[in-house]
Amino acid sequence: MKKRNYFMFLWWSLVSAISAFGQVEHVPFQYPQLSKQVKTQTKFSVELKDDYSNLENLEDKEVVDWLKAQDSLAEAYFANNDLMEHYLEKFSDYQKLQNGTISMIEVNEAGNYFYLKYEDSSSINKLFFREYLSAEEVELFDPKNYKDEISEITYLKPSFNGEKVAIGYKNDENFGSSVIFLDVKNKKLYSDLITNINPAFGGIEWLPDSSGFIYLYFPVVDQNKPGYKKNSFSVLYKLGDSQEVKKNIFGNSNTVNIPADFYPKVNIGSSQDKYVVGYSASSSDYYDAYIAKISDLISGKANWIPFFTQEQKVFYNQGEVRGEEFIFRQGNEKGNHVASFKINNPDFDNPEILAKGTKDNPITQFEVAKDKIYFACSKYGVEVSLWEINNKKKKKQLNTPFSSGYVTFFGGSVNKKLIGVELDGWTSDYTRFIITKDGDFRKEGLQQEMLYPEFDDLVSEQTMVSSYDGVEVPLSLVYKKGIELNSENEVFVYVYGAYGESMSPFFSPIFLDWAARGGILAFPHVRGGGEKGKDWHKQGMKTLKYNSWKDLIACTEALIEKGYTQKGLVSLYTASAGGITAGMAVNERPDLFSSFIAEVPRLNPLDLESSATVSSTSYLEYGTVDDNTEFIGLVKMDPYYNLKETLYYPATLIMPASQDDRIPLWDSGKYIAKLQSISTGNKPVLMDIDYEFDHDGLGNYDETVRLYSKIFSFARSNMKNESD
């Protein structure tokens, strides 16, 4: 995605391939050549031929040069596409509205506000502070003044008392980040510097007295070295301690059994907590957990007691200590519930049930305040309801200011009565509210409200589509009110379907622009996500993964059969784990899609799970190569191995990241190399590589604009009305 102008002789093959309107002409693409290194393997009586196994050696000069040439080819394509320039201008206008606004807001237990604010003059986000919401704003930290000049703050975690704040940023390591610490009152940095940490996996957990913290330490963060991301452990650190000595207080030991590729992280919820809960974290919804007294940890006498197991279906870190009570979200046969018991008498089989969710309308999250508990339900992943449980354990539904499709809580603490909530929807802008003691909603007002009159007449609807096996799949649509829903509509499909994550509604001017121009946005809520509860996730896992892409195919077919669009006018977009869902849908029904666009996608899951360098728990989602049945499932879900020479594939844009710690660059490279080798038409098959950022794509406003300008210009450039 970053412009790398190597091998500029490739430009000539693109200049004549794109017309003045960005439409692809009938000119064959000439792709960079790479010699094949075929590797044949037989396992569980299945023979597989890997044509481009040499791409797994990312240090080979031929491979490096080939990747650079692929990136240059993609950059040349966009440099000659007038639609790209049009989107750059339009999306820049949207982002300018956001510049100067506030982001990464953190509200601690004391009610202090910490947040980033973008400054146009320096083109960077600075850290600001308010003692309380209506207090005067104070600039705390300018990243450019740091000795190493931080380009972007990526993490914030204030202490409970607000006297200190942890500030994270990316360093040169592939996986690791660095964290520094600021004295809020004096606006001075402590000398402490924490490395080998990745806040996406486990951040800073401040001790109740804010004197120090616990964090997840990774001994190896270089993906080229043995033990990468494995054998992590939680470290107790007091500010001023020696950084050479790592006080391992939670990790694999004689009393705690945590696999090498799991993550032993902890949770401390408030300054009043007497207990700390430690989790054996993975990609699963359910963890094993242990509990210990914080005083024992600090004294160096950690005594971890088994607390619950995966079989008891407690949702990962959704458990909160309030005094001597433990409140948690737990799965059950009918959906899930919020429950509690006394810590000195734990009973996960027969807890006190506080609220129930169903399979179609599960409880998705909860937050504990001083005298109340708040929780949210999400019907089919897109229709949110908010609830309150008072100190007498009576429930009531709260009336939200607008119909919301997404919600998250903020600022909650067992020491505070007030709590905040963020609401969002397909056509309703993200807004933050404070829930009053009477259950009313008051706008927080910290962020400036943006007005987008061009989206006022957009509407959203949800319909149910019958999949290949009769199962009803939710499908969300966004379009302009009053448009003719006929076969001339251009459709942009965004799908995911993995890890139990719901495709929840989000307000994005960049995405809504498609609908404002008269197109249709479509969001299939396929199996593998969490829209209809845990079972919905299970039905799209491992050997049942095929349900995910068959649901996507069914939703696409339904749009065509209903006359909302036609073949040739449907662009498919996905990211990360969604690469399997989308990639296999394209393999089975390439005729349905005008283009396939995938950002940091997983396209070769079999070889990734077979790789000696893999060090994640993704096998819990997709299956392991060491099990006969799950191995066959991996073969069947692998977009790379299931590419067929006899098919005509749509225009394809794959956008991997060279610094990706989860999906290596060769995963996308092998897919592109094979697809280009079998492509016989004139549709572009491109790989645009991000040489700077990682899987999460952390970048500034300009990078976001450029990324989505490529995605939407590619989608629209490759629309082809079949009736033409």
Side-chain angles (χ1 to χ4, degrees):
M1 298 169 199
K2 291 289 174 300
K3 192 169 184 178
R4 295 290 185 271
N5 289 321
Y6 307 100
F7 304 92
M8 294 312 293
F9 63 84
L10 295 167
W11 276 64
W12 69 269
S13 69
L14 286 153
V15 172
S16 60
I18 304 171
S19 75
F21 299 102
Q23 189 71 32
V24 176
E25 298 288 354
H26 298 280
V27 177
F29 282 78
Q30 297 189 20
Y31 300 113
Q33 297 301 301
L34 178 72
S35 59
K36 290 184 179 182
Q37 184 175 311
V38 181
K39 181 176 72 175
T40 302
Q41 62 170 317
T42 302
K43 189 166 186 174
F44 297 121
S45 301
V46 176
E47 183 178 284
L48 292 171
K49 187 174 73 169
D50 182 358
D51 290 337
Y52 293 95
S53 63
N54 49 319
L55 269 166
E56 293 185 19
N57 183 4
L58 295 175
E59 296 182 356
D60 180 83
K61 185 179 185 303
E62 183 187 8
V63 171
V64 171
D65 289 347
W66 181 83
L67 291 169
K68 290 178 179 178
Q70 290 288 349
D71 187 59
S72 291
L73 183 65
E75 292 295 342
Y77 173 90
F78 289 111
N80 287 277
N81 189 328
D82 288 345
L83 273 179
M84 173 71 178
E85 293 302 315
H86 172 79
Y87 276 111
L88 280 171
E89 182 178 348
K90 184 65 176 178
F91 292 170
S92 292
D93 289 341
Y94 288 141
Q95 290 298 80
K96 285 175 183 176
L97 291 174
Q98 300 293 329
N99 289 354
T101 60
I102 290 168
S103 63
M104 205 179 290
I105 305 170
E106 293 290 334
V107 185
N108 70 347
E109 184 179 280
N112 309 138
Y113 276 75
F114 297 81
Y115 52 89
L116 303 182
K117 185 192 287 189
Y118 186 79
E119 185 179 84
D120 283 318
S121 59
S122 59
S123 298
I124 199 166
N125 280 303
K126 293 182 178 180
L127 174 60
F128 286 82
F129 168 78
R130 292 177 190 242
E131 187 176 357
Y132 47 89
L133 182 58
S134 58
E136 183 179 351
E137 179 180 81
V138 177
E139 181 181 321
L140 282 185
F141 180 68
D142 183 345
K144 288 196 171 181
N145 291 336
Y146 186 56
K147 59 181 180 180
D148 296 328
E149 191 172 315
I150 301 169
S151 61
E152 189 79 15
I153 295 173
T154 59
Y155 176 73
L156 291 177
K157 188 64 178 286
S159 61
F160 293 117
N161 59 16
E163 294 178 359
K164 309 174 182 74
V165 59
I167 303 170
Y169 61 94
K170 289 293 294 180
N171 52 31
D172 292 333
E173 298 169 335
N174 292 334
F175 177 73
S177 295
S178 295
V179 179
I180 55 179
F181 302 87
L182 184 72
D183 179 331
V184 174
K185 182 178 180 180
N186 298 310
K187 301 183 189 178
K188 292 184 178 180
L189 290 170
Y190 290 88
S191 60
D192 308 80
L193 172 68
I194 300 299
T195 60
N196 291 61
I197 180 176
N198 187 315
F201 287 75
I204 298 294
E205 293 291 320
W206 286 98
L207 296 175
D209 65 358
S210 300
S211 63
F213 49 86
I214 300 173
Y215 73 99
L216 185 62
Y217 174 79
F218 290 88
V220 182
V221 293
D222 185 341
Q223 61 183 331
N224 297 313
K225 293 183 178 180
Y228 172 58
K229 286 200 297 185
K230 293 186 178 181
N231 298 305
S232 58
F233 55 90
S234 282
V235 171
L236 174 64
Y237 184 91
K238 292 287 192 78
L239 289 172
D241 277 356
S242 168
Q243 296 172 40
E244 301 301 319
V245 179
K246 302 292 187 295
K247 297 178 183 177
N248 182 346
I249 54 93
F250 185 60
N252 197 17
S253 65
N254 293 332
T255 58
V256 176
N257 181 24
I258 297 178
D261 52 358
F262 281 43
Y263 309 112
K265 59 184 183 181
V266 305
N267 179 54
I268 300 175
S270 80
S271 64
Q272 301 302 310
D273 281 8
K274 299 177 182 178
Y275 301 92
V276 57
V277 179
Y279 297 95
S280 179
S282 67
S283 61
S284 173
D285 284 338
Y286 306 134
Y287 298 167
D288 291 337
Y290 302 81
I291 192 167
K293 290 184 177 179
I294 293 176
S295 57
D296 288 343
L297 296 187
I298 294 174
S299 67
K301 301 176 181 179
N303 180 28
W304 292 99
I305 300 171
F307 196 29
F308 55 81
T309 66
Q310 294 182 54
E311 287 71 27
Q312 289 166 315
K313 298 182 178 181
V314 177
F315 280 90
Y316 50 100
N317 60 345
Q318 289 203 18
E320 195 73 39
V321 175
R322 184 166 64 180
E324 296 295 324
E325 182 183 25
F326 185 68
I327 304 165
F328 57 97
R329 185 165 72 97
Q330 183 178 36
N332 58 44
E333 291 183 359
K334 295 183 179 180
N336 57 27
H337 55 241
V338 173
S340 71
F341 52 61
K342 295 296 182 181
I343 290 178
N344 61 6
N345 186 29
D347 187 353
F348 287 96
D349 296 324
N350 296 287
E352 181 179 5
I353 307 299
L354 303 176
K356 296 180 180 180
T358 66
K359 289 185 177 180
D360 289 345
N361 193 27
I363 297 172
T364 55
Q365 58 183 299
F366 75 92
E367 191 69 51
V368 179
K370 188 172 185 178
D371 56 354
K372 293 178 181 178
I373 300 171
Y374 297 90
F375 68 93
C377 292
S378 181
K379 187 175 181 180
Y380 300 141
V382 298
E383 184 181 330
V384 166
S385 58
L386 282 178
W387 301 76
E388 170 191 288
I389 305 173
N390 65 20
N391 55 7
K392 295 181 180 179
K393 300 183 178 177
K394 299 292 184 182
K395 299 190 300 291
K396 76 170 184 178
Q397 184 172 356
L398 303 179
N399 295 317
T400 56
F402 57 84
S403 180
S404 173
Y406 175 78
V407 62
T408 187
F409 297 103
F410 68 86
S413 168
V414 298
N415 294 328
K416 290 169 57 181
K417 290 187 176 182
L418 295 182
I419 194 171
V421 66
E422 301 170 348
L423 301 178
D424 203 357
W426 295 125
T427 59
S428 301
D429 198 359
Y430 159 85
T431 311
R432 291 167 61 97
F433 297 89
I434 303 296
I435 302 177
T436 70
K437 63 180 181 179
D438 298 321
D440 296 325
F441 290 77
R442 184 182 75 242
K443 283 187 179 180
E444 182 190 54
L446 186 65
Q447 291 180 301
Q448 179 183 354
E449 290 190 55
M450 300 295 133
L451 299 177
Y452 300 96
E454 60 267 48
F455 304 143
D456 287 347
D457 57 352
L458 296 186
V459 296
S460 63
E461 70 164 286
Q462 187 173 49
T463 184
M464 303 299 287
V465 173
S466 181
S467 194
Y468 77 101
D469 56 356
V471 171
E472 294 288 292
V473 180
L475 172 63
S476 296
L477 303 174
V478 179
Y479 51 84
K480 202 168 187 177
K481 185 177 181 179
I483 71 164
E484 287 190 43
L485 295 175
N486 58 32
S487 61
E488 301 300 310
N489 293 306
E490 296 180 346
V491 176
F492 187 86
V493 178
Y494 181 11
V495 71
Y496 184 66
Y499 291 105
E501 294 291 332
S502 298
M503 178 65 75
S504 298
F506 60 93
F507 183 89
S508 168
I510 284 176
F511 276 78
L512 291 177
D513 179 77
W514 185 277
R517 294 169 183 264
I520 297 175
L521 292 170
F523 305 92
H525 304 281
V526 302
R527 278 172 278 189
E531 286 85 348
K532 297 174 76 172
K534 179 62 180 174
D535 283 347
W536 198 246
H537 176 205
K538 287 182 177 179
Q539 291 175 42
M541 290 176 62
K542 296 186 176 181
T543 56
L544 296 177
K545 187 62 190 170
Y546 59 86
N547 284 323
S548 299
W549 67 79
K550 289 187 181 295
D551 287 351
L552 169 58
I553 289 171
C555 288
T556 307
E557 289 177 328
L559 288 170
I560 295 170
E561 290 168 3
K562 287 183 178 181
Y564 283 17
T565 189
Q566 61 178 289
K567 293 180 181 180
L569 297 183
V570 181
S571 180
L572 177 60
Y573 167 70
T574 192
S576 193
I580 296 175
T581 298
M584 285 304 301
V586 169
N587 280 352
E588 288 198 4
R589 291 296 307 276
D591 60 302
L592 291 177
F593 307 103
S594 57
S595 61
F596 170 38
I597 306 166
E599 188 185 352
V600 291
R602 186 180 289 257
L603 296 167
N604 185 204
L606 175 63
D607 289 343
L608 188 54
E609 293 304 328
S610 304
S611 172
T613 60
V614 66
S615 57
S616 71
T617 58
S618 56
Y619 61 86
L620 298 173
E621 179 74 14
Y622 309 113
T624 172
V625 295
D626 297 324
D627 177 88
N628 184 2
T629 303
E630 293 184 1
F631 175 82
I632 300 301
L634 280 163
V635 172
K636 291 180 178 179
M637 74 172 72
D638 194 296
Y640 169 65
Y641 280 112
N642 286 283
L643 287 168
K644 297 179 177 64
E645 293 188 24
T646 56
L647 299 179
Y648 290 93
Y649 286 89
T652 301
L653 173 62
I654 306 299
M655 310 175 85
S658 67
Q659 304 301 314
D660 197 327
D661 61 274
R662 302 175 205 177
I663 305 174
L665 187 54
W666 56 256
D667 184 293
S668 291
K670 289 165 69 173
Y671 179 87
I672 281 293
K674 187 173 182 179
L675 184 55
Q676 287 179 347
S677 72
I678 64 177
S679 293
T680 57
N682 53 18
K683 298 174 182 177
V685 177
L686 305 174
M687 182 165 63
D688 188 21
I689 303 171
D690 184 332
Y691 278 101
E692 184 172 341
F693 298 108
D694 57 19
H695 189 81
D696 296 318
L698 295 172
N700 57 29
Y701 294 113
D702 292 337
E703 292 300 331
T704 300
V705 166
R706 186 163 181 79
L707 169 66
Y708 285 104
S709 294
K710 290 178 177 180
I711 289 170
F712 283 100
S713 65
F714 189 85
R716 200 171 290 279
S717 293
N718 288 286
M719 290 290 178
K720 181 175 176 57
N721 192 318
E722 293 295 314
S723 62
D724 288 348

